[in-house]
């Protein structure tokens, strides 16, 4: 977290200067030594002798690491990358050598590189120096502190959602996630409430730390049955935490939470700032119905987190106003209908179908049954084609992937299910989406599907995309900037 110099809001070009300044402030507050250097440079003091020892560090930076990286990525990429980096380092070297303000101003990224290198050398940030007390670890220890409420409890009942960070969070906090598989109802994957109930009885309610449910998720999974889960939690006197990752933007998800709390127990629900408020990744909101409980969590605040995510949301909300935010939400809903229609007709044009997932208000899924063949090659290739064509967010889910996280193996990983009947493709209508996004995505998707079909017809499914294909992709991405 320290000196991270978040590569984040480089995209928020509208407020380049304040953005940059706030990041400086972030670094400043994190590092007293750095503060000193920062003002030193800002005030154009002519000699930077104090930086003498770091010359060496900047000079031979990373050669070895670049060559190590060549084992992972092709060497031409590494060459490009290291050249790009070297041009920044060159400027830094000049500054250290000459000890005076550069004639030509630096780009923001060079300044950031320099600042982050300095921040890394700050004693506060020495890796070996970081006790448990100083970093994110505190958030985890906040959870540990909650053990006091249920001293014996160590199981977290978790209706399966294939999102690694949820799972890792529970493991990191020192608990044992108990994965409850979903049930297939029509095309939809829905909460197996009975299985949760059975697990509670099997483990003993007093051993269950909480039920950890999810609202917003990729179709064909649907938001968990919050009413039933909440009622179950209240019956067994078990806390209930809801992962509402991008659910704030959907009235349906928010309604589910409200209902859950009305008929049963929801202790807290958590949502990401970036996904709901169009700010850079970084913060989250913890909310609940019992003010004291939220206050208790709030008191766990370790005291050194960055204020920047809060500031971003404040600025955004002030900029939009309540009416602006509501307008975005209703536009999103409208685009969900548009996307539904467009995907539906695209699917039928290609002999596929839009999976029927009426309980998922944000994400949609289109079958790729015709691309399955003997293996997932075509399906996987579609994924990489879409990536090349810069269709971001459209994710392709082949069957039978396996993933082991912290000792637990998820069969059918990414599909929230051990054996979903067909491979599929996801697209979502999330806040900020525009008609252009939908139109372009459908157009490119259509092209990709046609190309794959042609390939299959030529009876050579193993053929990699031709150079023609690459060329088209490049042209597409060029015309995307409009
Ligand atoms: C994005 C997401 C997360 C992780 O959210 P962060 O804001 O990155 O912590 C967890 N669960 C679901 C369902 C998500 O979509
Ligand atoms: C490569 O990275 C390692 C670990 O980050 C570091 O110790 C080493 O000095 C780096 N190599 C060079 C040449 O900078």
């Amino acid at each position: 977290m320290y000196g991270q110099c978040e590569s984040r809001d480089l995209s928020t070009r509208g407020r380049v200067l304040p953005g940059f300044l706030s990041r400086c402030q972030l670094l400043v507050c994190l590092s007293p030594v750095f503060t000193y250097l920062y003002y030193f440079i800002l005030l154009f003091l002519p000699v930077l002798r104090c930086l003498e020892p770091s010359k060496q560090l900047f000079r031979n930076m990373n050669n070895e690491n670049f060559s190590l990286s060549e084992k992972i990525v092709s060497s031409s990429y590494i060459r490009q990358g290291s050249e790009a980096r070297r041009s920044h380092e060159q400027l830094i070297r000049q500054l250290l050598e000459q000890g005076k303000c550069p004639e030509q101003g630096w780009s923001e990224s060079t300044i950031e590189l320099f600042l982050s290198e300095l921040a890394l050398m700050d004693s506060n940030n020495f890796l070996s120096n970081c006790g448990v007390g100083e970093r994110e670890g505190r958030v985890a220890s906040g959870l540990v502190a909650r053990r006091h409420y249920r001293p014996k409890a160590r199981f977290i009942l978790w209706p399966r959602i294939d999102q690694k960070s949820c799972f890792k969070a529970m493991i990191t906090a020192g608990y044992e996630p108990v994965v409850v598989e979903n049930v297939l109802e029509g095309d939809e994957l829905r909460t197996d409430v009975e299985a949760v109930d059975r697990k509670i009885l099997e483990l003993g309610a007093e051993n269950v730390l909480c039920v950890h449910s999810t609202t917003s998720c990729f179709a064909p999974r649907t938001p968990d049955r919050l009413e039933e889960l909440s009622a179950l939690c209240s019956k067994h006197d078990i806390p209930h935490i809801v992962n509402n990752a991008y659910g704030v933007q959907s009235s349906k998800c928010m309604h589910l939470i409200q209902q859950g709390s009305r008929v049963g127990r929801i202790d807290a629900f958590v949502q990401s700032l970036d996904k709901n408020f169009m700010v850079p990744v970084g913060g989250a909101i913890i909310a609940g119905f019992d003010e004291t409980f939220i206050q208790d969590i709030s008191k766990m605040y370790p005291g050194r987190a960055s204020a920047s995510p809060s500031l971003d949301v404040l600025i955004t909300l002030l900029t939009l106003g309540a009416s602006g935010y509501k307008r975005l939400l209703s536009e999103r809903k409208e685009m969900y209908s548009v996307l539904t229609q467009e995907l539906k007709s695209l699917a039928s044009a290609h002999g596929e179908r839009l999976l029927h997932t009426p309980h998922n208000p944000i994400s949609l899924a289109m079958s790729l049954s015709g691309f399955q063949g003997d293996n997932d090659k075509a399906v996987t290739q579609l994924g990489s084609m879409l990536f090349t064509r810069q269709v971001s967010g459209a994710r392709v889910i082949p069957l039978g992937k396996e993933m082991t996280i912290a000792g637990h193996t998820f069969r059918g990983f990414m599909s929230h299910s051990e054996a979903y009947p067909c491979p599929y493709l996801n697209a979502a209508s999330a806040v900020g989406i525009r008609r252009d996004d939908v139109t372009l995505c459908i157009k490119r998707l259509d092209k990709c599907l046609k190309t794959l079909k042609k390939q299959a017809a030529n009876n050579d499914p193993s053929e990699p995309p031709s150079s023609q294909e690459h060329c088209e992709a490049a042209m597409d991405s060029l015309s995307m900037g409009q």
Side-chain angles (χ1 to χ4, degrees):
M1 199 173 126
Y2 296 106
Q4 192 178 343
C5 235
E6 301 146 33
S7 57
R8 50 182 204 98
D9 59 1
L10 291 180
S11 58
T12 53
R13 303 235 175 253
R15 43 188 185 86
V16 165
L17 193 59
F20 172 58
L21 283 183
S22 74
R23 265 167 285 152
C24 285
Q25 281 157 16
L26 163 71
L27 287 161
V28 166
C29 70
L30 292 176
S31 156
V33 174
F34 168 74
T35 314
Y36 167 67
L37 289 172
Y38 170 57
Y39 284 115
F40 212 53
I41 293 151
L42 256 198
L43 296 172
F44 304 120
L45 286 184
V47 186
L48 291 167
R49 294 277 173 245
C50 64
L51 292 176
E52 200 68 41
S54 42
K55 274 190 189 174
Q56 193 57 29
L57 186 137
F58 286 120
R59 193 163 288 146
N60 62 5
M61 200 160 358
N62 286 321
N63 285 339
E64 190 189 315
N65 289 339
F66 281 129
S67 61
L68 284 174
S69 314
E70 288 180 4
K71 288 183 193 151
I72 309 167
V73 190
S74 110
S75 62
S76 64
Y77 284 147
I78 299 298
R79 207 176 320 114
Q80 280 186 325
S82 69
E83 266 161 25
R85 194 185 159 104
R86 214 180 345 265
S87 62
H88 293 288
E89 287 166 1
Q90 195 78 7
L91 291 170
I92 295 173
R93 209 201 64 225
Q94 278 170 14
L95 174 71
L96 293 170
E97 262 171 19
Q98 297 169 3
K100 63 174 196 210
C101 181
E103 196 62 33
Q104 299 286 329
W106 285 3
S107 74
E108 220 177 276
S109 44
T110 311
I111 299 175
E112 285 182 340
L113 176 65
F114 183 48
L115 298 187
S116 81
E117 297 280 358
L118 291 179
L120 282 175
M121 290 185 286
D122 187 285
S123 61
N124 273 338
N125 302 329
F126 289 169
L127 287 180
S128 56
N129 203 38
C130 288
V132 194
E134 271 193 20
R135 298 195 109 159
E136 286 281 13
R138 279 243 172 119
V139 175
S141 67
L143 287 172
V144 174
R146 255 187 278 154
R147 277 182 201 264
H148 296 305
Y149 297 112
R150 303 178 71 79
K152 283 203 300 173
R154 66 190 172 96
F155 298 110
I156 299 179
L157 295 193
W158 184 61
R160 174 170 170 182
I161 168 156
D162 291 355
Q163 224 287 345
K164 286 192 218 167
S165 62
C166 318
F167 195 74
K168 290 190 281 191
M170 295 184 281
I171 302 274
T172 311
Y175 297 105
E176 201 168 307
V178 175
V179 182
V180 180
E181 292 291 331
N182 300 299
V183 281
L184 188 64
E185 288 179 19
D187 287 337
E188 292 185 324
L189 289 165
R190 307 200 66 191
T191 321
D192 191 340
V193 180
E194 274 168 28
V196 175
D197 199 12
R198 277 199 304 275
K199 269 287 171 207
I200 294 175
L201 296 175
E202 182 190 320
L203 298 168
E206 70 284 3
N207 295 316
V208 178
L209 179 80
C210 67
V211 169
H212 176 186
S213 63
T214 307
T215 56
S216 55
C217 58
F218 290 116
R221 192 193 191 280
T222 65
D224 277 319
R225 296 177 182 271
L226 286 201
E227 285 192 29
E228 286 99 319
L229 286 178
S230 304
L232 209 56
C233 286
S234 132
K235 183 176 97 185
H236 293 289
D237 198 20
I238 294 173
H240 183 193
I241 305 295
V242 182
N243 175 3
N244 190 38
Y246 47 103
V248 180
Q249 63 189 289
S250 150
S251 52
K252 254 191 195 170
C253 292
M254 296 312 280
H255 181 70
L256 275 177
I257 293 173
Q258 202 146 24
Q259 281 300 100
S261 147
R262 205 175 55 77
V263 304
R265 175 170 181 172
I266 290 182
D267 296 74
F269 53 104
V270 185
Q271 34 270 308
S272 311
L273 290 183
D274 61 304
K275 293 177 183 174
N276 293 292
F277 298 104
M278 299 176 78
V279 292
V281 176
I285 293 177
I286 303 175
F289 299 90
D290 173 7
E291 194 170 339
T292 1
F293 181 57
I294 300 300
Q295 288 294 345
D296 284 347
I297 297 175
S298 175
K299 283 180 197 147
M300 294 295 175
Y301 167 61
R304 286 200 68 181
S306 162
S308 152
S310 319
L311 203 56
D312 288 338
V313 169
L314 178 69
I315 295 170
T316 303
L317 291 182
L318 288 176
T319 307
L320 289 172
S323 68
Y325 188 61
K326 283 183 196 153
R327 195 187 59 240
L328 281 174
L329 296 194
S330 74
E331 281 167 10
R332 182 206 77 77
K333 214 168 181 175
E334 210 176 297
M335 280 308 118
Y336 174 82
S337 308
V338 175
L339 186 62
T340 306
Q341 286 316 314
E342 298 269 320
L343 268 182
K344 202 176 253 173
S345 41
L346 179 76
S348 70
H350 289 274
E352 300 290 343
R353 63 193 189 86
L354 184 69
L355 300 180
H356 187 59
T357 54
H359 291 96
N360 192 318
I362 299 172
S363 169
L364 293 160
M366 170 188 145
S367 73
L368 295 174
S369 310
F371 296 86
Q372 196 170 357
D374 294 336
N375 53 36
D376 280 324
K377 213 161 204 168
V379 174
T380 312
Q381 193 185 336
L382 176 61
S384 60
M385 284 168 86
L386 289 172
F387 180 77
T388 318
R389 285 159 182 272
Q390 305 196 2
V391 180
S392 70
R395 74 204 252 291
V396 166
I397 314 297
L399 296 178
K401 266 202 154 193
E402 255 189 36
M403 167 72 68
T404 301
I405 309 170
H408 184 94
T409 299
F410 292 88
R411 289 177 52 219
F413 190 71
M414 287 173 82
S415 71
H416 319 289
S417 161
E418 298 207 326
Y420 197 74
C422 64
Y424 58 87
L425 172 142
N426 277 133
S429 172
V431 66
I433 188 171
R434 290 208 281 238
R435 196 170 281 262
D436 272 0
D437 293 316
V438 177
T439 318
L440 260 178
C441 156
I442 296 289
K443 204 178 105 193
R444 292 183 186 169
L445 194 49
D446 185 36
K447 256 180 153 176
C448 292
L449 292 173
K450 279 180 182 147
T451 309
L452 279 179
K453 278 261 174 65
K454 225 182 283 169
Q455 232 171 262
N458 291 344
N459 226 351
D460 190 4
S462 62
E463 189 192 327
S466 63
S467 53
Q468 167 77 14
E469 157 69 22
H470 274 307
C471 185
E472 274 177 29
M475 301 274 281
D476 265 3
S477 54
L478 277 178
S479 65
M480 233 206 38
Q482 63 203 329

